[in-house]
Amino acid sequence: MQTVSLTRREVIETAETLVIKIGTNVLSCADDTLDPTRIESLAEQIHRVKETGRKVVVVSSGAIGAGMGLLGLKERPKDLGHLQASAAVGQAHLIRRYDRCLQKHGYHAAQLLVTANDFKNRTRYLNVRNTIHTLFEYGAVPIVNENDTVSIQEIKFGDNDHLAAMVTSLVKKPLLVILSVVDGLYDGDPKSPESHRISQVQDWTPELLALATDDSSSLGTGGMKSKLQAVRSATAVGENVIIANGQQEGILDQILKAEDVGTLFLAQGASVSAWKRWIGYTIRPKGKFHLDAGATKAIRDGGKSLLAIGIQSIDGTFESGEAVTLVSPSGEEFARGLSNYNSSDLAKIVMRRSDQIATILGAVPYSEVIHRDNLAVLENHPAV
């Protein structure tokens, strides 16, 4: 009988939405085809989660793996064209399986295929969020996956762990559950009998990060290091995360009962507004501002806007309104924001007082380079 942690109980009881990321190997048989019994079991458990009044979003890998099985491929393709073809064949099979299993319990599976550009663009980001919330009104279960059939390197998330962290920011009072083929984070090599599962993580330390490797699963793309990066970005904005073994029978039921399974990562920072979460942890910066010590302190500790005089130099090419990263004199990225100036104009006014801008540019369109409302301090947790 698993023990019940008071902390876990509080985390579960306060969660209104479960975002469940399901890894490729969780859904695959030994021959790389989809495991229908696994999907059916997960659908039954999702039903029991929804019976508690909670909402559920599924971020599901498995399309490429499913396509490989259907196309008779023995190993994951190396080139983009064959990967996209496998995803195109597999995605239809994957969503059909989910829909059949969920319909037994009275729900429809709703397919959402996204790329990283859908999160970088504010309008698309809001459209994805609005679609998910409207699907909740109908009791449907959103099944989100990267649109592998059109994704190229420049618009890929990298893996569905990061996609799941981004999706988590779209819903209210979430708990992110990452289902993999490991029992959680271990204090050593998971294959060693001397290693032990870490039940709960409160603080991020260099020793903790050193426990993760880059190794990815045989069909998937994300190893434990990737998972920890995604977890860290989620906990930094006030979200709790559990990594657990999706092949363990009844795993979602056990999580719902607050049993000691997997590894619980507790939220590190205060809850961040959706707007600043989008700025700080979703869109990718186009430029970099190197600040002096005074500007760094004013933004990090004083809640101030960024003025041109505090910028020592800039890197990159960007337009007005695009995201940039702010770097302290020590080289640490500590904030992100939306620049009021493009890179060409800003290069002319760095280290200048506000009253000098009109003389240099002929006008003063903005007194601040980045307004405080468009700044997100990263709380010492680097964004991914």
Side-chain angles (χ1 to χ4, degrees):
M1 179 69 179
Q2 299 281 357
T3 58
V4 175
S5 159
L6 291 178
T7 303
R8 282 180 179 254
R9 174 61 65 192
E10 182 180 1
V11 166
I12 295 300
E13 289 184 350
T14 56
E16 293 183 1
T17 308
L18 261 62
V19 177
I20 305 167
K21 186 268 179 177
I22 306 174
T24 298
N25 281 6
V26 173
L27 299 177
S28 301
C29 297
D31 61 357
D32 298 343
T33 59
L34 279 182
D35 183 351
T37 60
R38 180 77 60 201
I39 296 179
E40 186 168 350
S41 173
L42 289 168
E44 290 176 0
Q45 294 174 74
I46 288 169
H47 167 58
R48 288 190 283 272
V49 172
K50 287 177 67 65
E51 281 190 315
T52 68
R54 294 177 174 86
K55 303 174 181 66
V56 174
V57 180
V58 173
V59 178
S60 180
S61 301
I64 292 176
M68 287 169 54
L70 293 169
L71 296 174
L73 301 177
K74 301 302 181 184
E75 61 180 20
R76 185 182 177 90
K78 301 289 193 299
D79 64 291
L80 183 62
H82 285 86
L83 282 170
Q84 291 175 329
S86 297
V89 172
Q91 185 63 41
H93 186 55
L94 179 66
I95 196 67
R96 186 165 59 248
R97 283 288 186 183
Y98 273 117
D99 195 50
R100 285 176 179 173
C101 293
L102 287 169
Q103 279 194 28
K104 294 179 181 179
H105 307 284
Y107 313 115
H108 288 290
Q111 178 176 262
L112 279 77
L113 297 178
V114 297
T115 69
N117 274 345
D118 296 320
F119 285 78
K120 294 175 183 177
N121 179 285
R122 181 66 178 172
T123 301
R124 293 185 190 178
Y125 171 86
L126 292 174
N127 285 340
V128 174
R129 185 179 71 175
N130 292 340
T131 298
I132 289 174
H133 285 277
T134 303
L135 288 169
F136 287 159
E137 294 179 14
Y138 292 97
V141 178
I143 311 290
V144 186
N145 195 3
E146 181 164 11
N147 193 349
D148 291 308
T149 59
V150 301
S151 288
I152 56 177
Q153 192 61 39
E154 288 76 12
I155 60 173
K156 286 182 68 66
F157 292 98
D159 57 67
N160 275 355
D161 298 318
H162 291 89
L163 171 58
M166 290 183 180
V167 170
T168 304
S169 71
L170 301 175
V171 298
K172 297 178 181 177
K173 296 185 178 180
L175 170 63
L176 173 57
V177 177
I178 297 177
L179 297 182
S180 184
V181 290
V182 294
D183 292 335
L185 181 64
Y186 278 75
D187 58 8
D189 185 346
K191 298 177 182 178
S192 170
E194 298 178 357
S195 298
H196 301 88
R197 175 180 58 89
I198 300 173
S199 175
Q200 183 172 299
V201 172
Q202 174 110 32
D203 301 310
W204 292 85
T205 63
E207 293 76 18
L208 177 74
L209 295 171
L211 295 174
T213 68
D214 288 314
D215 294 340
S216 60
S217 55
S218 60
L219 292 176
T221 57
M224 183 55 75
K225 185 173 183 179
S226 168
K227 287 175 174 54
L228 284 191
Q229 289 174 334
V231 169
R232 199 177 189 192
S233 69
T235 58
V237 292
E239 294 162 0
N240 299 296
V241 185
I242 293 175
I243 294 179
N245 192 336
Q247 293 183 326
Q248 184 171 321
E249 192 60 39
I251 187 63
L252 293 178
D253 292 329
Q254 292 172 297
I255 289 173
L256 198 62
K257 295 174 183 176
E259 293 180 3
D260 184 16
V261 292
T263 300
L264 167 63
F265 297 83
L266 295 175
Q268 301 294 298
S271 181
V272 176
S273 70
W275 173 246
K276 293 204 172 185
R277 188 177 299 194
W278 180 72
I279 293 172
Y281 295 90
T282 302
I283 51 175
R284 294 293 187 256
K286 293 292 186 69
K288 180 184 292 185
F289 293 3
H290 300 269
L291 308 190
D292 62 25
T296 299
K297 182 175 177 58
I299 291 170
R300 181 153 36 193
D301 303 327
K304 303 296 185 181
S305 298
L306 175 62
L307 305 180
I309 195 171
I311 306 173
Q312 295 184 314
S313 64
I314 63 172
D315 298 326
T317 302
F318 49 88
E319 297 299 325
S320 172
E322 290 192 313
V324 296
T325 184
L326 307 187
V327 178
S328 70
S330 66
E332 173 200 12
E333 179 189 12
F334 71 94
R336 290 181 178 180
L338 304 182
S339 176
N340 285 329
Y341 290 86
N342 62 38
S343 52
S344 177
D345 286 343
L346 186 57
K348 302 172 184 176
I349 61 173
V350 294
M351 296 189 293
R352 300 299 185 100
R353 299 191 311 270
S354 298
D355 59 11
Q356 297 176 300
I357 295 177
T359 304
I360 299 170
L361 297 181
V364 186
Y366 299 96
S367 57
E368 308 95 351
V369 174
I370 303 179
H371 191 275
R372 181 64 195 178
D373 290 346
N374 296 328
L375 265 172
V377 177
L378 300 181
E379 302 287 347
N380 295 320
H381 293 276
V384 240

